[in-house]
Amino acid sequence: MSEELTKKTEDLSLDSKQESAEKTVFDSKEEFTAKHPLNHRWTLWYTKPQTNKSENWHDLLKPVIAFSSVEEFWGIYNSIPSANQIPLKSDYHLFKEGIRPEWEDEANAKGGKWQHAFLKKEGNPIINDLWLRGLLAVIGETIEDDEDEVNGIVINVRKQVYRIGIWTKDCDESKLRTVGERLKKILQLKDDQRVEFISHNASNQKGAEPQIVL
């Protein structure tokens, strides 16, 4: 599947002649030539489902494509399978360039993740909208103010749930609350629905409790 995603994206033409979906920042796609740069360059990663027990995490995790402008983002987003179309036990990860979506990465090692799990429903299209909202908040850097805590965003496709998580640099609650509060709004959660923060270290411990719940 990673090879398929790469094939779908590697030949993208991101110039002004490319036809795209109605989601765009320009009024005239044909005449628009400038690009809107993002503050950071981002890499989309994909974790394919394990097909045999000899495959480890490093075998399953592959970078798909990198981008640094709004136009490139839309070209990629509109050319890959949506979140509810990727296989069970697979993941999308969008991280700042130079950061691997792994706990061991130096930028992630002292951090953790905010997350919420949505119960899956047959053909549940709303997860695509929520995932897109999360992506835009991360690359647009509206999910935080000046904390500079967010490294990336992940969606996990599992048997019963879709899980969306925001990965952070550290576990300082004073810096993390803004991110958690905004994630809750981005995911359009109700008052009785919770987002939880847990450190990557604690995630390795069976029965570990979240550090923060909002």
Side-chain angles (χ1 to χ4, degrees), residues 4 7 17 25 67 93 101 105 112 117 120 160-162 193:
E4 179 183 348
K7 188 175 188 304
K17 296 180 181 179
V25 295
F67 62 92
H93 321 254
D105 189 285
K120 292 175 71 172
Q160 299 295 336
V161 300
Y162 293 107
Q193 294 177 297

Side-chain angles (χ1 to χ4, degrees), residues 5-171:
L5 295 185
T6 304
K7 188 175 188 304
K8 286 188 176 184
T9 54
E10 64 186 0
D11 296 325
L12 283 177
S13 173
L14 297 171
D15 59 21
S16 60
K17 296 180 181 179
Q18 178 186 352
E19 288 191 7
S20 61
E22 57 273 12
K23 302 188 185 79
T24 178
V25 295
F26 20 84
D27 296 323
S28 175
K29 295 186 289 293
E30 293 75 16
E31 297 179 1
F32 196 90
T33 56
K35 288 185 178 180
H36 294 79
L38 300 167
N39 289 336
H40 290 88
R41 185 171 175 83
W42 299 84
T43 302
L44 176 68
W45 300 73
Y46 176 71
T47 308
K48 67 177 184 177
Q50 187 181 47
T51 54
N52 63 72
K53 293 183 179 180
S54 66
E55 292 178 311
N56 59 36
W57 170 256
H58 298 285
D59 297 324
L60 304 175
L61 175 67
K62 301 293 182 183
V64 178
I65 196 168
F67 62 92
S68 58
S69 73
V70 174
E71 291 74 22
E72 289 172 326
F73 167 78
W74 283 121
I76 294 164
Y77 180 81
N78 290 322
S79 301
I80 62 174
S82 57
N84 71 339
Q85 293 177 329
I86 62 175
L88 186 67
K89 296 185 179 179
S90 61
D91 317 293
Y92 276 146
H93 321 254
L94 186 69
F95 276 68
K96 290 175 180 174
E97 187 176 52
I99 303 177
R100 291 180 63 87
E102 299 173 317
W103 296 351
E104 300 86 357
D105 189 285
E106 183 179 357
N108 298 320
K110 296 180 180 179
K113 59 185 175 183
W114 281 106
Q115 63 182 0
H116 179 82
F118 296 89
L119 291 176
K120 292 175 71 172
K121 296 180 181 179
E122 186 70 25
N124 183 7
I126 193 172
I127 195 64
N128 298 332
D129 295 333
L130 298 177
W131 172 236
L132 176 58
R133 287 168 60 87
L135 291 172
L136 294 175
V138 168
I139 66 171
E141 301 184 25
T142 59
I143 196 164
E144 56 183 338
D145 291 324
D146 301 319
E147 293 85 1
D148 192 27
E149 277 296 304
V150 173
N151 287 338
I153 183 171
V154 177
I155 185 166
N156 314 117
V157 180
R158 299 298 181 260
K159 185 175 182 180
Q160 299 295 336
V161 300
Y162 293 107
R163 185 181 299 108
I164 294 178
I166 297 288
W167 285 37
T168 65
K169 290 181 179 179
D170 62 40
C171 298

